[in-house]
Amino acid sequence: MKPKNILSYTIGLISLLFLIVQACNSSAGPKPIRYGQDQCAYCKMTVSDPRFGAQLVTKKGRAYNFDDVKCMIAFVKEGTVKRDDVAGFYLPDYSNDNKLLPAEKMFLLKSESLKSPMRGNIAAFANEKDMEQARAQHAGDILIWDDLWK
């Protein structure tokens, strides 16, 4: 091969390897929600309350933000994104800085006194103790992730 061809080949190979590494390393974890700026992918309202904002991330790494878990569930049920294409569902830890955590591992409390943006009125907690403390204040029903899909 000529030096010019070797250089083109090398640059092409490096570019291809870079793309492969990027694809393999793409984080399927939650992305930061810009409260007061981002729009709910389902109802189009501004995501404003960090206690209830939710997110799904696809296997391709695209994040969809929601102002309420109710919107996220409806978005998937309507088929906008297939459940099989979702890498992760994330809910904020109501009691601890509203950090987005995997929804399937959260303890859920449904109470009319929680008053979430779209009236899903469901708060998520990283641990059972925090959920029970909130339940003592708000009353309500304990749910698991699968209950939201019924």
Side-chain angles (χ1 to χ4, degrees), residues 25-50:
N25 287 336
S26 66
S27 172
K31 315 291 189 255
I33 297 174
R34 296 173 304 159
Y35 293 98
Q37 296 176 32
D38 287 343
Q39 191 178 59
C40 176
Y42 182 71
C43 73
K44 307 303 182 210
M45 290 182 60
T46 301
V47 182
S48 59
D49 191 336

Side-chain angles (χ1 to χ4, degrees), residues 49 51-52 67-70 111-123:
D49 191 336
R51 299 173 304 163
F52 300 105
D67 61 349
D68 191 310
V69 67
K70 180 179 176 179
S111 172
E112 295 303 314
S113 73
L114 288 168
K115 307 227 183 287
S116 68
M118 295 305 290
R119 298 300 178 243
N121 300 326
I122 296 170

Side-chain angles (χ1 to χ4, degrees), residues 3-70:
K4 185 176 181 183
N5 289 343
I6 292 173
L7 181 60
S8 296
Y9 177 77
T10 304
I11 290 172
L13 186 59
I14 290 171
S15 297
L16 180 62
L17 288 173
F18 177 76
L19 290 173
I20 290 170
V21 169
Q22 285 295 100
C24 291
N25 287 336
S26 66
S27 172
K31 315 291 189 255
I33 297 174
R34 296 173 304 159
Y35 293 98
Q37 296 176 32
D38 287 343
Q39 191 178 59
C40 176
Y42 182 71
C43 73
K44 307 303 182 210
M45 290 182 60
T46 301
V47 182
S48 59
D49 191 336
R51 299 173 304 163
F52 300 105
Q55 186 178 91
L56 74 77
V57 178
T58 66
K59 291 177 181 174
K60 292 184 178 181
R62 179 162 183 199
Y64 291 90
N65 298 320
F66 303 92
D67 61 349
D68 191 310
V69 67
K70 180 179 176 179

